[in-house]
Amino acid sequence: MLESILDPGRWEVTFASLDAFWAGFFVTLQVVAWGLLLALVLGTILGVFSTTHSRILRAISRVYVEFYQNTPLPVQVVFMYLMGPQLLQIITGAPRPVAITPVVLGFVGVGLYHAAYVSEVIRTGIESVPRGQMEAALSQGFTRVQAYAYIILPQTFKVILPPLCNQALNLVKNSSVLALVAGGDIMYRSNSFVGTYGYLQGYFVACAMYFVICFPLALLVQFLEKRSKRIPKAKKIDIAAITAETAKEA
């Protein structure tokens, strides 16, 4: 086993196939970037819905979260892969099923899935902001939407940045589910290489590429967690200067 892993000939074949791995790497990056954007936007909307006074909006958020958190991501992606073209054909009235590109399938799949978890993070963050701030904003003439946009959410994001970065990490790793539907991502390229040559080196390359994406995010999570635990330092006030300035004004 160890001899086959250290075999120079196998590594030479692996390095000669790196172009295919890099193609999968950039597919994964696209899926991660667009999927994270979708998860943040949809998750924020659903998180706000879950904290409103409207029973309908809270019910929509709850049903969405419960469905996506209690069904496996691979099943969701395979369902989208098999049924998505037929559903788009019905919606658009096209004469034949509408093809979905692997990148679109991937980022929609992981984006919708992680939006449910982002929604819960956003909801927890909003509930951590004192209720009096919303009431104060409404009393000053803000609409509820403006209060969320300018007062509540900015404070919420400062609190929830570490768990959001954790969701980004999970999203990167879950993007490997695209290999189930021949999505052309890192995992699919590795499976193809190992299936063709029988060399496990392909999986080592996959691990290295996922590490390149995930490690900076992990460092960012650690930094944000440490920063969130810091106690703000009190500003020093020069009482003598203030007294002198007050005396001049008098």
Side-chain angles (χ1 to χ4, degrees):
M1 180 69 177
L2 185 60
E3 291 179 359
S4 63
I5 292 175
L6 299 177
D7 185 0
R10 295 191 175 195
W11 280 108
E12 185 178 352
V13 173
T14 304
F15 290 137
S17 304
L18 277 182
D19 286 346
F21 286 102
W22 282 118
F25 178 83
F26 289 114
V27 169
T28 296
L29 278 184
Q30 292 179 65
V31 170
V32 168
W34 289 107
L36 185 58
L37 179 62
L38 175 60
L40 287 175
V41 172
L42 184 57
T44 300
I45 294 172
L46 292 170
V48 171
F49 280 3
S50 64
T51 60
T52 61
H53 295 295
S54 171
R55 291 184 179 180
I56 295 175
L57 295 181
R58 291 204 308 272
I60 292 172
S61 176
R62 196 73 255 151
V63 169
Y64 183 95
V65 170
E66 293 297 336
F67 173 78
Y68 276 95
Q69 286 189 346
N70 293 287
T71 54
L73 177 59
V75 174
Q76 297 168 16
V77 172
V78 170
F79 178 83
M80 291 174 57
Y81 175 72
L82 296 175
M83 295 299 299
Q86 284 79 8
L87 292 175
L88 287 176
Q89 180 185 11
I90 295 171
I91 294 171
T92 61
R96 58 181 60 86
V98 180
I100 304 175
T101 64
V103 171
V104 172
L105 181 66
F107 89 74
V108 171
V110 296
L112 293 179
Y113 179 78
H114 281 277
Y117 293 90
V118 171
S119 169
E120 290 295 275
V121 173
I122 297 290
R123 178 184 62 80
T124 304
I126 291 175
E127 290 176 349
S128 70
V129 178
R131 290 179 177 269
Q133 296 203 22
M134 173 63 78
E135 296 170 0
L138 296 176
S139 68
Q140 294 298 314
F142 285 85
T143 65
R144 190 168 290 275
V145 173
Q146 290 173 331
Y148 272 113
Y150 298 119
I151 297 175
I152 305 300
L153 288 179
Q155 297 179 75
T156 299
F157 279 111
K158 291 180 181 179
V159 176
I160 64 175
L161 274 177
L164 279 182
C165 288
N166 273 322
Q167 285 302 317
L169 270 171
N170 292 332
L171 190 148
V172 173
K173 290 178 279 190
N174 283 338
S175 67
S176 61
V177 75
L178 200 56
L180 293 174
V181 293
D185 63 315
I186 295 174
M187 197 63 204
Y188 173 75
R189 303 285 181 172
S190 300
N191 287 337
S192 298
F193 177 85
V194 175
T196 301
Y197 297 100
Y199 299 165
L200 293 179
Q201 280 79 355
Y203 291 133
F204 284 95
V205 174
C207 289
M209 288 186 169
Y210 280 118
F211 182 83
V212 167
I213 301 174
C214 292
F215 185 64
L217 287 174
L219 292 178
L220 179 60
V221 170
Q222 294 176 12
F223 170 76
L224 292 173
E225 287 178 346
K226 290 179 181 179
R227 185 177 179 182
S228 65
K229 293 177 182 178
R230 290 178 187 168
I231 300 175
K233 295 181 180 179
K235 294 182 179 180
K236 295 182 179 180
I237 300 176
D238 192 342
I239 298 177
I242 295 175
T243 304
E245 186 176 347
T246 304
K248 288 181 181 179
E249 292 178 355

